[in-house]
Amino acid sequence: MIDEDYLRLTLDIAKQARAAGNHPFGAILVGPDGTVLMQAGNAHGDAGDRTGHAERVLMTQASLAYAADFMAGCTMYASAEPCAMCAGSAYWAGVGRVVYGLSEHDLGLLIGPHPENLTMDLPCRIVLGAGQRAVEVVGPLLEAESRAVHDGFWK
């Protein structure tokens, strides 16, 4: 599989999250051998957790399950660019690569000042680039498909 194939899996998870009453975001962790190790959708609606972003939930699970040296060979795929909180969680969990769909900037333009998702126009490359170890960042990819998951949601 290639990056776009994995990214489409996150879009399916985002659709499932939306159908369950959560915000439409999804993320997966892929191991060094290309195996999907775990996945998470947004958990905001489940418990009212405003920090329940798919990427943060996934990285919490991953940091409890895998050592940092293993995580360095893993990729986190996300339906949208990780926000500052989620990029920080990817960094601290030890992930070596991040691939995302819709950019945080374009997500902000799409959502506007929605009280449940006040986006920060801060690219994850800046957050991850401020760390003491390198994290490869790829994206945005599949922007139209990534944007479509949000159609009509934020009104």
Side-chain angles (χ1 to χ4, degrees), residues 4-95:
E4 288 82 358
D5 296 325
Y6 290 113
L7 201 51
R8 285 188 176 100
L9 294 176
T10 71
L11 299 178
D12 290 340
I13 296 163
K15 291 172 189 173
Q16 293 168 21
R18 180 178 177 163
N22 289 299
H23 295 169
F25 298 96
I28 62 173
L29 179 67
V30 175
D33 65 354
T35 301
V36 176
L37 301 172
M38 47 180 61
Q39 68 180 45
N42 184 281
H44 177 272
D46 289 341
D49 180 2
R50 291 180 306 279
T51 68
H53 296 189
E55 305 92 331
R56 201 274 310 149
V57 170
L58 179 68
M59 289 296 98
T60 296
Q61 294 170 350
S63 70
L64 294 170
Y66 301 109
D69 60 339
F70 177 78
M71 289 291 292
C74 294
T75 300
M76 179 178 71
Y77 289 87
S79 60
E81 182 174 7
C83 71
M85 173 183 67
C86 293
S89 68
Y91 178 81
W92 289 110
V95 75

Side-chain angles (χ1 to χ4, degrees), residues 63-133:
S63 70
L64 294 170
Y66 301 109
D69 60 339
F70 177 78
M71 289 291 292
C74 294
T75 300
M76 179 178 71
Y77 289 87
S79 60
E81 182 174 7
C83 71
M85 173 183 67
C86 293
S89 68
Y91 178 81
W92 289 110
V95 75
R97 187 167 181 260
V98 172
V99 179
Y100 66 87
L102 188 61
S103 73
E104 181 78 351
H105 177 78
D106 286 351
L107 180 66
L109 294 175
L110 175 71
I111 294 174
H114 195 285
E116 290 183 7
N117 198 356
L118 296 170
T119 62
M120 299 170 71
D121 194 359
L122 178 61
C124 70
R125 281 178 175 85
I126 292 175
V127 175
L128 294 167
Q132 295 182 36
R133 63 176 187 82

